[in-house]
Amino acid sequence: MSSSNIAVSVKNLSKIYSIKKGEKFFALKDISFDEAKGKVLGVIGSNGAGKSTLLKILSEVIPPSSGTIEFKGNILSILEIGTGFHHDLSGYENIFLNASLLGMKKTDT
């Protein structure tokens, strides 16, 4: 994949939380991936796997502990499950619905 075709590039991304004196918890540890323009990325995993943490870091809600993120274009995050989702629409259609409610046009995507 050429670098001009990459929409988001994540390299060695980690998020560490201090939970007790001297005790640390890795919510994410050394995550790396590239996603091409026009592609859809699904993030799945069990509870506590770091899905929401990854999405919050990508949307700049929280900072990473280490690693880099580079993206071209806009990022729109819909982080809460069920927030604004219409059950008669597909996930893809819901993305465009929520983006339009936040002022984005389909041509912005």
Side-chain angles (χ1 to χ4, degrees):
M1 180 176 349
S2 73
S3 63
S4 64
N5 194 37
I6 295 175
V8 63
S9 180
V10 174
K11 301 291 183 225
N12 303 315
L13 189 71
S14 293
K15 181 64 178 180
I16 306 168
Y17 291 102
S18 296
I19 53 176
K20 291 181 182 178
K21 292 182 182 177
E23 191 175 340
K24 295 182 180 182
F25 171 75
F26 277 88
L28 299 172
K29 189 173 184 181
D30 295 325
I31 304 296
S32 295
F33 64 88
D34 292 327
E35 188 61 36
K37 293 178 184 176
K39 297 294 181 180
V40 176
L41 173 67
V43 181
I44 60 173
S46 59
N47 289 346
K51 302 176 300 291
S52 293
T53 301
L54 173 62
L55 294 174
K56 287 177 183 179
I57 291 172
L58 290 175
S59 59
E60 299 178 328
V61 172
I62 60 174
S65 299
S66 63
T68 60
I69 303 167
E70 295 179 22
F71 60 90
K72 297 177 186 168
N74 298 316
I75 290 184
L76 174 65
S77 62
I78 306 168
L79 294 172
E80 298 303 321
I81 300 294
T83 302
F85 277 87
H86 192 289
H87 297 287
D88 292 335
L89 301 176
S90 70
Y92 187 78
E93 292 167 327
N94 269 291
I95 290 170
F96 287 106
L97 172 63
N98 280 279
S100 68
L101 293 173
L102 294 171
M104 293 183 74
K105 298 176 187 162
K106 195 167 186 174
T107 56
D108 293 335
T109 59

